[in-house]
Amino acid sequence: MKEAAITDDVQLLKTDLYAEVIIPLALPKTFTWKIPYHLQQKAAIGKRVEVVLRSKKYAGILSAFVAAPEGFQPKEIHHIIDDDPVVFKQQIAFWKWIAAYYMCSEGEVMQAAIPSYLKLSGESVLIYNDEHDGDFSHLTDNEYLIAEALFIKKQLSLKEVQQIVFELNSVYRIVKTLVEKKVCTVWESLQEKYKPRTESFVVLQPDYQQEAALEALLNNWTKAPKQLELLLAYIHLLRTEGEVTQAALLKKSGASAAQLKALTEKNILTIQKRSASRLPARPALVNIDFSLSDAQNKALEAIDEGFQYHNVCLLYGVTGSGKTQIYIRLIERMLKSGKQTLYMLPEIALTAQIIRRLQKHFGGHIAVYHSKFNASERVEIWNGVKSGDIKIVLGARSSLFLPFTDLGLVIVDEEHDNSYKQQEPAPRYHARDAAIYLASLANAKVLLGSGTPSVESFFNARQNKFALVELSERYGSLQLPPIELIDLKKYPAGKNGILSQPMFEGIKQTLNDKKQVIVFQNRRGYSPYISCNVCGHIPQCKNCSVTLTYHKSANRLSCHYCGAHYPVIETCVACGSRQFIQKKSGTEKVEEVMAVAFPAAKMARMDYDSVKGKHDHDKLIQLFEQHKIDVLIGTQMVVKGLDFEGVDMVGIVDADSMLYFADFRVNERAFQLMEQVSGRAGRKNENGKVMVQLVQMTHPVLQYLKTHDYKGFYAYEIDKRNQFFYPPFSRVIDITLKHREERIAHEAAQILTIGLKKNFGQYLSEPAAPHINRIRNQYIVQVRIKLPRKAALIQQCKREILQQIAILQNHKSYRSVHIFPDVDP
């Protein structure tokens, strides 16, 4: 739709004015609303506005002023909520790009981008009908109670109604009846959910703020010694802290609230309510207490040179080479120039070490943004970034949506990590690629960092699309640890079924040397599945086509896809046998076996079952850092962002599970995962060692892993990608269809494929069910398109996909099929 020639700062004109408003719904396009005359002066892009769609209220974002639409008469905006925009035009442009590139709606992007407390919530309100005659004699008892309350108060929220009528089902029925009897009407109000936090501060009355007056007061004090102690404690806190909260004063002095009240009644102290941040207070310092090595300095100079010709630079630095210190130097520069930095990590909850390190160097300049913060804390970080008070943000992929005012640098650490790709729900964006586009809007630079870069990023660097800087030596000139491959056919796991003799001896020697061990197993739970020893039956989830994982500590079977839990099965449903055996092993069983094998060692497990709280991960990491744990057993959590001085050995229990599954990136991810976990060993003064157990010793990835040869692996993998026309030589779009009936899902996929074959048949695969073809009682069918990297062709294909989806969903039989495209899966 064409934009009218209207400035953002709208003047009050007696003319019609129209605007596009993004509301948090998956709509094919943004709706247009009319801005009434009395709101035109306040209207501005980025403000929240109250609109009504099909009798339901929404808080939308005014995204653009537009010309009068043709073919329909827009409804009016009801209210402009904000005095200042909550998002900037740059953010809205970013939303629009994500929606277009990743084939979703702007409403879905808004839903992901805005903190929940800025979205407002709808609440039904009953309003008394003043035209009613006031005769309530024909009402039931409950109806009468509500009507009488309405007559007195004139309006009631649904919560207030529920306090009168305790049964929820009765509330809705009674409200419906009262509306039908014209006693009241129902209106949906938007409630602001975010409430600023307030705190009570204690302040000296003006008469005693002069030193002489205060001294005279203390010298002439004769009674109430407890009050005097309280006052002296207050003066001490005031001089050391600058401000004194009521809670801090009562805690320090040991006084009671009554004694404090007595001092306020004597007009010596007063209590003031002030807004207070929910974020931990830290001094805004800059404390860089390290020097870069010669190799790091050369890398930093190369990055500066690369940024002269490219907006994106890939820093390929082997594990333990000190990339984080280079990041810190770059952030310091940004801070001195007054610009903001976004430092992205794949999983923020797993990187407590880096958070502590950055806070040590930058104090209150830095804010951490991720899903484990509560909604109010996220709003305060949002507002701090928008005001420019927060200069450095350490965040997961969602931090891309923060309202940066002057973004200068984006650091994407561990850029290869697949956690940067959003899977469910839409927008299914890749944070690394989206960060590059966001930086282009802000005229900022992007530094991608990894010890095992993604094939696509290294290809782009080799093609001179990105600058490439290599840091090939570990900090302190340490060598990468040697990797020993243990053939389980030659050295089978012992009675415990997990540890081969070489692995056992390696761990034993490391513990005898008073060093620490990390044991990596890429499965959580006790046993990935159980099987009947008589007929071979394997219990599966009722909702998904997956086996159930046995969790011994909880004594239950769990589905890791839908989250359903089941009691442990004692009797086989197929043959009636009571002989179930556990197959394979997860981290829980590895921990049990290790505890038996090394009873004197202190063990801990790090996976999503054992680390759930906001700070659980950090506490466990600190215990390991302090050598209070000898052996750390875990899943991918032990790979990401961890730096331990005392780790001398890393053991990978079951490498085969990473090397064989259906995905064109399987080799890349297996190499990255094993190389990254091996990089945890020998990071301080020692070389360390890595031991890898597996059966398939001939897999081609292993020869590159054994010598830490990333470039050799890249050459092998890029040749295979070219041979089979996979990224980076093509652009992949997967279309997933889901339905409760398998037949309908397959039929819909066939019809969709037929519609696309005319123009894209040569790039199209036939519909196929994935290995796990049912999740949450929805059958899944996928269609894959591999397109040449031609922008016009890709855009045409995206349009036709959306068109074919619309045609299919207009058909009555397939209206309930869930269809979504996934770009760059």
Side-chain angles (χ1 to χ4, degrees):
M1 190 177 286
K2 265 187 163 183
E3 282 201 16
I6 301 168
T7 62
D8 296 337
D9 299 319
V10 180
Q11 297 178 355
L12 185 60
L13 303 171
K14 286 291 182 180
T15 183
D16 290 338
L17 185 60
Y18 302 90
E20 284 188 355
V21 176
I22 305 171
I23 58 176
L25 294 177
L27 302 172
K29 58 176 288 186
T30 51
F31 276 25
T32 301
W33 270 271
K34 184 178 179 180
I35 303 176
Y37 300 136
H38 70 282
L39 294 179
Q40 288 183 10
Q41 196 171 27
K42 196 179 177 183
I45 288 175
K47 288 187 177 183
R48 291 176 300 171
V49 296
E50 186 180 302
V51 294
V52 176
L53 184 66
R54 296 193 67 176
S55 75
K56 187 169 183 180
K57 281 193 177 183
Y58 294 94
I61 298 287
L62 198 155
S63 65
F65 296 108
V66 296
E70 297 178 5
F72 73 97
Q73 183 59 41
K75 295 179 180 179
E76 286 193 346
I77 286 171
H78 282 223
H79 178 56
I80 294 177
I81 297 166
D82 302 303
D83 293 325
D84 300 304
V86 294
V87 297
F88 300 128
K89 284 187 286 182
Q90 179 180 292
Q91 282 176 280
I92 293 172
F94 182 52
W95 294 3
K96 288 180 181 293
W97 176 83
I98 284 188
Y101 186 89
Y102 291 103
M103 301 179 68
C104 61
S105 69
E106 291 177 30
E108 288 171 309
V109 181
M110 175 191 169
Q111 186 75 4
I114 297 282
S116 60
Y117 273 20
L118 290 180
K119 292 172 193 168
L120 306 187
S121 65
E123 183 181 273
S124 297
V125 175
L126 274 65
I127 299 172
Y128 180 69
N129 179 12
D130 289 327
E131 295 181 3
H132 190 268
D133 58 12
D135 180 12
F136 301 148
S137 58
H138 60 293
L139 302 179
T140 65
D141 290 346
N142 280 333
E143 290 170 1
Y144 179 84
L145 290 172
I146 296 169
E148 187 178 42
L150 269 172
F151 180 76
I152 297 167
K153 292 190 67 176
K154 299 305 178 187
Q155 69 178 46
L156 294 171
S157 70
L158 208 58
K159 288 180 183 176
E160 291 173 317
V161 173
Q162 198 171 335
Q163 288 172 356
I164 300 170
V165 182
F166 293 105
E167 292 181 23
L168 189 64
N169 293 335
S170 301
V171 169
Y172 295 114
R173 178 174 46 78
I174 293 166
V175 167
K176 183 173 181 289
T177 306
L178 290 175
V179 171
E180 289 170 352
K181 294 179 179 178
K182 298 185 179 179
V183 174
C184 64
T185 56
V186 177
W187 183 246
E188 191 81 5
S189 71
L190 288 178
Q191 303 292 324
E192 185 81 68
K193 289 186 280 187
Y194 170 71
K195 302 293 182 188
R197 177 172 168 261
T198 59
E199 196 160 359
S200 297
F201 286 82
V202 182
V203 180
L204 270 172
Q205 287 284 17
D207 291 346
Y208 300 105
Q209 288 182 3
Q210 295 297 323
E211 193 70 30
L214 182 59
E215 191 174 334
L217 173 69
L218 296 174
N219 289 337
N220 295 321
W221 199 284
T222 56
K223 297 180 180 180
K226 290 290 186 184
Q227 292 177 27
L228 178 59
E229 285 178 25
L230 177 58
L231 184 57
L232 291 171
Y234 168 77
I235 293 167
H236 176 74
L237 278 176
L238 183 66
R239 288 172 178 168
T240 55
E241 305 291 333
E243 290 187 312
V244 182
T245 65
Q246 180 176 324
L249 176 58
L250 294 178
K251 182 178 179 181
K252 180 173 177 61
S253 65
S256 66
Q259 289 159 348
L260 177 58
K261 185 182 179 186
L263 288 176
T264 63
E265 288 173 348
K266 290 178 179 178
N267 288 322
I268 297 170
L269 298 177
T270 184
I271 296 173
Q272 297 177 353
K273 286 275 189 184
R274 298 183 203 163
S275 61
S277 174
R278 291 177 171 86
L279 307 177
R282 293 186 181 89
L285 52 82
V286 177
N287 174 33
I288 310 299
D289 58 356
F290 61 84
S291 299
L292 298 181
S293 67
D294 289 342
Q296 288 173 315
N297 274 315
K298 286 177 184 175
L300 185 57
E301 289 169 8
I303 290 168
D304 291 337
E305 186 179 345
F307 279 152
Q308 291 179 23
Y309 307 101
H310 298 85
N311 289 325
V312 183
C313 177
L314 173 63
L315 175 60
Y316 162 42
V318 297
T319 56
S321 58
K323 294 186 291 293
T324 305
Q325 292 175 318
I326 293 174
Y327 301 155
I328 289 168
R329 285 294 184 192
L330 289 167
I331 293 169
E332 181 191 17
R333 289 184 193 172
M334 286 294 125
L335 196 56
K336 287 180 178 177
S337 67
K339 289 186 173 292
Q340 293 171 308
T341 301
L342 171 60
Y343 186 147
M344 293 181 64
L345 291 155
E347 291 187 56
I348 196 74
L350 310 183
T351 49
Q353 280 187 323
I354 292 178
I355 292 169
R356 290 201 304 276
R357 189 181 299 182
L358 290 185
Q359 286 173 341
K360 172 190 170 187
H361 294 306
F362 300 111
H365 289 297
I366 191 164
V368 183
Y369 189 78
H370 59 79
S371 58
K372 288 197 175 183
F373 279 82
N374 66 45
S376 293
E377 288 171 329
R378 297 182 79 173
V379 170
E380 292 189 8
I381 295 170
W382 178 281
N383 290 335
V385 172
K386 187 163 74 80
S387 68
D389 293 338
I390 292 174
K391 293 297 184 186
I392 307 163
V393 174
L394 184 66
R397 57 176 180 255
S398 60
S399 59
L400 280 171
F401 296 112
L402 287 166
F404 294 96
T405 54
D406 194 7
L407 186 62
L409 176 67
V410 181
I411 297 168
V412 185
D413 197 12
E414 309 295 350
E415 64 84 28
H416 65 274
D417 198 292
N418 63 335
S419 298
Y420 279 123
K421 173 67 175 176
Q422 165 77 3
Q423 303 295 338
E424 291 285 345
R428 295 172 180 85
Y429 64 100
H430 197 296
R432 177 197 61 217
D433 301 337
I436 292 171
Y437 185 80
L438 175 66
S440 72
L441 292 176
N443 198 25
K445 301 294 184 182
V446 179
L447 182 63
L448 309 177
S450 177
T452 53
S454 64
V455 168
E456 288 91 335
S457 292
F458 204 73
F459 178 82
N460 284 332
R462 285 283 181 90
Q463 297 293 309
N464 203 34
K465 290 182 179 178
F466 301 164
L468 176 62
V469 175
E470 297 187 28
L471 188 57
S472 55
E473 67 177 54
R474 288 186 125 186
Y475 189 75
S477 300
L478 295 173
Q479 298 298 308
L480 286 163
I483 295 180
E484 179 184 346
L485 302 180
I486 301 170
D487 186 349
L488 287 174
K489 296 190 293 294
K490 186 176 179 182
Y491 301 101
K495 293 179 181 179
N496 56 55
I498 292 173
L499 299 178
S500 62
Q501 190 61 28
M503 179 80 80
F504 174 83
E505 293 296 337
I507 295 172
K508 181 180 178 181
Q509 183 60 52
T510 304
L511 293 174
N512 287 342
D513 293 341
K514 306 299 181 185
K515 298 289 186 179
Q516 292 172 296
V517 177
I518 289 178
V519 178
F520 174 70
Q521 169 64 311
N522 206 26
R523 292 190 186 101
R524 61 191 174 99
Y526 189 83
S527 176
Y529 64 96
I530 61 173
S531 171
C532 175
N533 203 27
V534 175
C535 70
H537 170 72
I538 299 172
Q540 287 199 329
C541 176
K542 294 176 182 176
N543 308 316
C544 314
S545 58
V546 294
T547 58
L548 293 170
T549 299
Y550 173 54
H551 289 258
K552 188 174 183 179
S553 60
N555 193 33
R556 66 188 182 192
L557 300 172
S558 297
C559 174
H560 289 174
Y561 283 81
C562 71
H565 301 299
Y566 303 84
V568 175
I569 296 172
E570 303 290 347
T571 305
C572 177
V573 295
C575 70
S577 165
R578 297 177 66 85
Q579 299 178 39
F580 275 97
I581 55 174
Q582 292 147 10
K583 295 285 190 176
K584 301 287 186 180
S585 57
T587 50
E588 198 178 345
K589 186 174 182 181
V590 173
E591 181 185 28
E592 182 181 275
V593 167
M594 292 286 292
V596 172
F598 307 101
K602 296 183 284 291
M603 306 275 171
R605 174 164 52 93
M606 188 191 299
D607 56 29
Y608 280 105
D609 299 315
S610 62
V611 179
K612 292 183 177 178
K614 186 174 178 179
H615 303 293
D616 288 356
H617 181 269
D618 193 15
K619 290 173 185 173
L620 186 55
I621 293 300
Q622 290 190 57
L623 289 172
F624 197 55
E625 285 177 327
Q626 295 159 9
H627 289 251
K628 294 179 180 177
I629 296 169
D630 300 314
V631 181
L632 183 63
I633 301 146
T635 56
Q636 291 187 39
M637 281 188 172
V638 301
V639 181
K640 301 175 182 181
L642 301 181
D643 184 2
F644 301 115
E645 294 183 0
V647 174
D648 192 56
M649 177 182 165
V650 168
I652 300 176
V653 172
D654 180 15
D656 293 291
S657 64
M658 292 179 273
L659 291 165
Y660 297 96
F661 57 92
D663 189 297
F664 73 89
R665 290 195 175 94
V666 60
N667 289 342
E668 178 184 6
R669 286 179 178 161
F671 180 87
Q672 288 167 343
L673 199 53
M674 288 191 280
E675 180 68 10
Q676 287 285 335
V677 78
S678 69
R680 304 310 109 193
R683 293 173 77 96
K684 197 76 170 181
N685 305 324
E686 305 282 347
N687 288 339
K689 57 181 175 287
V690 180
M691 305 183 87
V692 182
Q693 293 184 162
L694 72 166
V695 174
Q696 298 295 335
M697 296 290 290
T698 58
H699 196 287
V701 167
L702 299 176
Q703 61 179 308
Y704 306 111
L705 177 71
K706 191 170 181 179
T707 55
H708 301 283
D709 185 8
Y710 170 78
K711 288 183 179 177
F713 165 75
Y714 170 80
Y716 164 81
E717 184 68 11
I718 203 74
D719 180 61
K720 293 294 181 186
R721 299 278 184 96
N722 191 18
Q723 185 180 339
F724 294 103
F725 194 51
Y726 273 111
F729 302 100
S730 65
R731 177 64 50 77
V732 173
I733 302 174
D734 282 346
I735 307 169
T736 301
L737 301 91
K738 296 181 179 180
H739 196 269
R740 292 182 71 85
E741 292 185 40
E742 190 174 12
R743 175 186 60 82
I744 290 177
H746 279 276
E747 283 178 5
Q750 286 290 349
I751 294 168
L752 184 68
T753 305
I754 291 167
L756 292 170
K757 270 186 177 176
K758 180 181 176 184
N759 294 321
F760 300 97
Q762 61 182 314
Y763 310 121
L764 200 62
S765 67
E766 287 297 317
H771 175 63
I772 298 171
N773 72 328
R774 183 171 60 96
I775 297 175
R776 296 186 180 91
N777 277 325
Q778 297 276 322
Y779 286 92
I780 304 168
V781 184
Q782 289 180 328
V783 178
R784 170 162 284 180
I785 307 174
K786 289 192 288 185
L787 297 163
R789 296 179 69 90
K790 297 177 182 176
L793 182 69
I794 292 167
Q795 289 302 320
Q796 181 192 351
C797 184
K798 286 179 178 178
R799 285 193 297 270
E800 290 205 21
I801 289 170
L802 294 175
Q803 185 180 359
Q804 291 300 325
I805 290 173
I807 291 169
L808 186 64
Q809 292 192 322
N810 277 328
H811 195 289
K812 187 178 178 181
S813 301
Y814 307 112
R815 201 166 289 159
S816 57
V817 177
H818 297 286
I819 309 173
F820 56 85
D822 186 5
V823 180
D824 302 337

